[in-house]
Amino acid sequence: MNPSEAENGPEAPNAPGAERAPETPRRRTHPITPLVTGWKIVVAIVAVVSAQNIARLVNDFSVSKALIGAGVILAAVVIAIVLSAISWWFMTYAVDEEGVSLHTGVISKSREYAPRARIESVSVERPLLARLLGLAKVRVEIAGGGESYLDIEYVKSADAEQLRQRILGVAARARTPEGESPDQSEGAAADAPQADRDAAHRTEGTHETSTVDGTGEDAPGALQKLLYDGVTDGDMIATIPTGRLVRSLVRDLGFLVGIVMSILGLGVAIGLGIWTDGFSFAMIIALAPAAFTVLKYVFGKIESGWGFVSRDTDRGLRMRRGLANTRTDNIASGRVQRFSVRRPLLWRTPDWTAVTVTVAGIDDDDENGAQSVLPVGTREELGATLGHLAAPLGTDDDLAALEHLLTAKAREIHGIRTPARLFWISRRTDVTVLLPGALIHRSGILTRTVEIVPRERIQQTTLSEGPLSRRLGVLDLAVHVAGEDLHISAIPLQDALALHGTLARDARTLRRYRDREQWPQPILGRSSTAPHASQEDR
């Protein structure tokens, strides 16, 4: 649910003698925004009409009817642009020291507001058409719900970057550490981009930089800035060459099986159509959406890691990805609620790993979303990414412990496993380990997945027992964190009760807001500038 509230009328005037604070000037988005948003309405209308009347359109085709159809489409384009222009005129936004506000609506007006203390991250998205026109969308993610965000669409790409930095600066000043004046915090926020540039110069030559064509050669400064949408400041954490991305897709059995099954399904549909009604152009047109879905799936997989680069900056982990549609995202160190580390079967030889995270307030878990912090990375990139985002696990060598969890058989891992023979797959694949810093659950046959929940992020634990579980002497445990839950099935009764008691105590004691200065921090993150968590993500 978007953080919006209806505008019921004019605000009440200030009390007599009270001084009215100067109102921040409101701004509109770019004037050609209606052209970018209006085409979606036209495409939707054409798709619905074509899908329902494709056979009649093909059989009754004539030049006069084609001209009439073109005229109708042209009229729909004009109407869509006019409606979008009216909506654009009544949409304004403002950024001040209290947060970000967005006013929309013609007849029914609404206000959306993002208080600065609840701003989680700011991303810049560039869909294909907007990118061709030099525009970008700014999305402000807000703590408090899965779909809590504000979209400012569209502004010039250069203005979008400045707007992103300004909003992040406002959010950083809301989390000024105790004992530091707001002026100092503001100065640090203003100097952050320069600090990132200095860090980049200091580390130049120590990190391998790969261009998007996968050659591994250093691109010139201007070209590199263009290819990576300006994400060139800060310490390099990970970069994905195109060659590795393509090889990872070829080695992903889930991706290959999905493609093969989709192609077989299309082939069967075409064969049945020819067998029953004979070959016709209308049948091919009717199956075009299914073929388009397959191509979109393949392209989405490629785009999720194309040109991916992540860097450590004073505002957290900054990432860039995308081919036709590009985006840049920020995730602050110490704000991650849950990690998911995935390694398919054929990725084990080159030691490639994918990492996704759960952040309170960010519900963008698709392959091209902000929660994918490492689409396919090497062991060194895995260690650097987790080192900048995750607090220590509490072992002598966290990366070695994680590698053991990903590569070893379940019976070779010291932890909790189900004793029930009925769950014969889980007995051989699933294991739960409680470390000093995190609860870890390993699962999967062909694709091994390690779920990591920092113990100080746990909010609640729940035990459940069904008729079958009661007879088998096992319990199911659900571990709740902000944004997502971890479910562990068929744990032995005594182990489940002991684990539940330990995690419940963690939920009561490890996340006290008054003790936030002692909360665990990532060992490689810039803890001095990392924002403190707000009460919403406790």
Side-chain angles (χ1 to χ4, degrees):
M1 180 180 298
N2 284 350
S4 59
E5 56 182 78
E7 184 180 16
N8 297 322
E11 299 180 357
N14 291 347
E19 295 184 1
R20 178 184 293 271
E23 185 177 355
T24 303
R26 307 199 62 80
R27 304 184 62 182
R28 290 188 177 90
T29 55
H30 199 277
I32 64 174
T33 296
L35 295 178
V36 183
T37 57
W39 71 271
K40 300 177 183 179
I41 303 175
V42 178
V43 171
I45 294 175
V46 173
V48 171
V49 173
S50 300
Q52 295 178 350
N53 303 278
I54 186 64
R56 182 182 300 177
L57 291 174
V58 173
N59 296 330
D60 299 340
F61 177 80
S62 65
V63 176
S64 60
K65 291 182 179 180
L67 293 176
I68 294 174
V72 172
I73 293 177
L74 180 60
V77 170
V78 174
I79 294 174
I81 293 177
V82 170
L83 293 177
S84 298
I86 295 174
S87 176
W88 165 82
W89 180 260
F90 286 92
M91 182 177 68
T92 60
Y93 70 93
V95 180
D96 55 27
E97 292 303 315
E98 300 302 322
V100 184
S101 63
L102 180 68
H103 294 182
T104 59
V106 180
I107 299 176
S108 177
K109 296 185 178 181
S110 66
R111 292 180 179 179
E112 300 180 47
Y113 184 66
R116 64 180 188 176
R118 298 180 61 187
I119 295 176
E120 285 287 343
S121 68
V122 183
S123 62
V124 178
E125 303 178 15
R126 298 176 177 86
L128 178 59
L129 181 57
R131 190 181 182 191
L132 294 176
L133 297 174
L135 303 180
K137 176 176 72 174
V138 178
R139 170 165 290 188
V140 183
E141 301 282 0
I142 309 166
E147 296 184 358
S148 298
Y149 56 81
L150 297 182
D151 280 342
I152 302 175
E153 52 181 356
Y154 291 87
V155 296
K156 289 183 179 180
S157 293
D159 295 341
E161 185 61 28
Q162 295 176 3
L163 185 60
R164 182 192 72 88
Q165 294 182 5
R166 183 181 177 189
I167 296 174
L168 287 175
V170 170
R173 289 193 288 276
R175 304 181 180 105
T176 304
E178 295 180 3
E180 182 179 347
S181 66
D183 294 338
Q184 291 174 328
S185 176
E186 184 174 355
D191 294 338
Q194 182 61 42
D196 291 342
R197 286 191 289 271
D198 294 341
H201 289 306
R202 289 195 303 270
T203 57
E204 186 176 359
T206 62
H207 299 282
E208 180 183 357
T209 302
S210 300
T211 60
V212 292
D213 61 1
T215 60
E217 299 177 357
D218 291 342
L223 177 60
Q224 186 181 22
K225 198 173 186 67
L226 175 64
L227 293 176
Y228 291 132
D229 293 326
V231 184
T232 56
D233 298 334
D235 301 337
M236 178 71 74
I237 296 178
T239 178
I240 300 180
T242 304
R244 186 203 304 169
L245 175 65
V246 174
R247 292 195 301 271
S248 69
L249 294 179
V250 174
R251 289 171 173 261
D252 191 340
L253 293 180
F255 172 74
L256 295 179
V257 170
I259 294 299
V260 171
M261 296 303 295
S262 299
I263 294 176
L264 288 177
L266 284 174
V268 170
I270 294 174
L272 290 176
I274 294 176
W275 183 48
T276 55
D277 300 328
F279 179 81
S280 65
F281 181 72
M283 179 191 66
I284 300 299
I285 297 298
L287 292 176
F292 176 77
T293 301
V294 176
L295 295 177
K296 182 181 179 181
Y297 172 69
V298 175
F299 184 77
K301 281 284 191 177
I302 296 175
E303 192 170 45
S304 64
W306 186 277
F308 179 89
V309 61
S310 62
R311 292 180 177 271
D312 178 42
T313 70
D314 288 337
R315 306 289 172 81
L317 182 71
R318 192 178 181 201
M319 301 169 291
R320 182 270 181 204
R321 77 193 79 212
L323 177 57
N325 308 293
T326 67
R327 62 180 296 163
T328 60
D329 302 284
N330 273 83
I331 294 182
S333 299
R335 307 306 296 272
V336 180
Q337 310 292 321
R338 178 172 174 261
F339 297 84
S340 178
V341 182
R342 185 179 67 91
R343 181 174 292 175
L345 175 64
L346 299 181
W347 286 16
R348 298 174 191 174
T349 301
D351 283 339
W352 292 338
T353 312
V355 181
T356 58
V357 299
T358 299
V359 181
I362 299 180
D363 185 18
D364 202 1
D365 57 354
D366 62 344
E367 296 168 348
N368 199 26
Q371 297 189 9
S372 176
V373 297
L374 187 63
V376 50
T378 62
R379 181 178 300 185
E380 292 75 16
E381 292 170 340
L382 171 64
T385 300
L386 294 181
H388 284 82
L389 292 178
L393 301 179
T395 65
D396 295 334
D397 188 340
D398 288 349
L399 186 58
L402 184 58
E403 282 293 328
H404 179 67
L405 290 167
L406 284 169
T407 57
K409 297 180 180 179
R411 63 174 178 269
E412 299 174 356
I413 301 174
H414 181 69
I416 302 173
R417 293 187 292 134
T418 179
R421 295 182 180 273
L422 180 63
F423 304 101
W424 61 276
I425 295 180
S426 299
R427 290 186 64 195
R428 291 163 174 79
T429 60
D430 294 10
V431 60
T432 303
V433 180
L434 184 63
L435 295 178
L439 174 68
I440 297 180
H441 180 66
R442 208 286 296 273
S443 61
I445 303 176
L446 298 179
T447 299
R448 288 178 177 170
T449 302
V450 174
E451 306 282 350
I452 304 174
V453 178
R455 292 176 63 172
E456 78 278 1
R457 298 287 175 173
I458 296 174
Q459 295 182 335
Q460 182 183 357
T461 57
T462 304
L463 285 175
S464 59
E465 180 187 41
L468 181 60
S469 300
R470 187 180 304 111
R471 184 171 183 83
L472 296 175
V474 296
L475 294 174
D476 297 335
L477 176 66
V479 181
H480 307 277
V481 296
E484 199 166 344
D485 301 332
L486 173 63
H487 296 275
I488 306 174
S489 302
I491 305 177
L493 178 62
Q494 296 301 323
D495 292 335
L497 293 176
L499 185 59
H500 175 266
T502 301
L503 298 181
R505 183 171 61 253
D506 292 345
R508 292 193 305 268
T509 61
L510 295 185
R511 197 65 179 168
R512 291 193 179 103
Y513 188 69
R514 64 174 180 268
D515 301 330
R516 61 189 181 278
E517 297 296 339
Q518 284 74 43
W519 288 351
Q521 294 291 333
I523 56 177
L524 299 180
R526 305 188 183 191
S527 57
S528 60
T529 57
H532 296 293
S534 59
Q535 298 192 44
E536 286 80 2
D537 68 347
R538 291 178 57 192

